[in-house]
């Protein structure tokens, strides 16, 4: 499996997904491995702009998803610290929420 990096992915469905990803060559048949993928949207309001984050697949408890390259229009590595921090904070908040709900 290849190195992990943060990527913004434009899916053929039109969704924009932010995820920590790696690419598995899989014996010449590559597959994209998405870890904790989220949908990101830029929203504008009279108070400024903000980013809305939600799970890519809302009803799954899985952290890893496998996508064939033909389901992706384009993808780009992001090194935008603010965007990566928002992503990591969202993932951390979700994990804490799951721990809290598991203990009840």
């Amino acid at each position: 499996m290849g190195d992990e990096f943060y990527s913004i992915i434009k899916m053929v469905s039109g969704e924009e997904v932010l995820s920590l990803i790696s690419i598995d060559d899989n014996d010449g048949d590559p597959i994209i491995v998405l870890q904790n993928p989220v949908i990101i949207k830029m929203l504008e309001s009279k108070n400024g702009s903000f980013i809305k984050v939600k799970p890519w697949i809302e009803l799954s408890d899985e952290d890893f998803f496998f996508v064939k390259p033909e389901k992706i229009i384009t993808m780009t590595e992001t090194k935008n610290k603010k965007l990566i921090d928002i992503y990591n904070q969202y993932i951390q908040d979700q994990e804490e929420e799951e721990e809290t709900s598991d203990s009840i």
Side-chain angles (χ1 to χ4, degrees):
M1 198 160 329
D3 294 336
E4 291 183 334
F5 58 95
Y6 292 96
S7 181
I8 300 169
I9 304 163
K10 183 73 168 185
M11 308 296 286
V12 296
S13 64
E15 298 165 308
E16 286 189 32
V17 177
L18 173 62
S19 182
L20 183 61
I21 73 161
S22 60
I23 301 172
D24 185 354
D25 186 38
N26 199 26
D27 296 326
D29 186 21
I31 194 152
I32 314 299
V33 181
L34 286 71
Q35 182 177 347
N36 296 311
V38 296
I39 293 177
I40 53 173
K41 280 196 178 203
M42 287 294 298
L43 301 174
E44 302 289 331
S45 74
K46 61 183 175 185
N47 298 326
S49 60
F50 59 97
I51 296 174
K52 180 179 179 181
V53 181
K54 69 178 190 173
W56 181 46
I57 300 179
E58 295 189 57
L59 298 177
S60 177
D61 292 331
E62 299 297 320
D63 294 335
F64 291 90
F65 298 89
F66 303 93
V67 177
K68 294 217 175 252
E70 58 265 19
K71 298 298 180 186
I72 296 172
I73 294 174
T74 191
M75 59 192 280
T76 184
E77 181 175 5
T78 184
K79 295 184 180 181
N80 181 315
K81 182 168 174 22
K82 186 174 181 180
L83 191 56
I84 292 169
D85 287 346
I86 290 169
Y87 170 82
N88 285 326
Q89 185 63 53
Y90 177 81
I91 298 305
Q92 182 179 346
D93 290 348
Q94 292 297 356
E95 288 171 355
E96 289 173 2
E97 186 177 302
E98 286 176 12
E99 288 173 7
T100 303
S101 65
D102 289 344
S103 63
I104 297 177

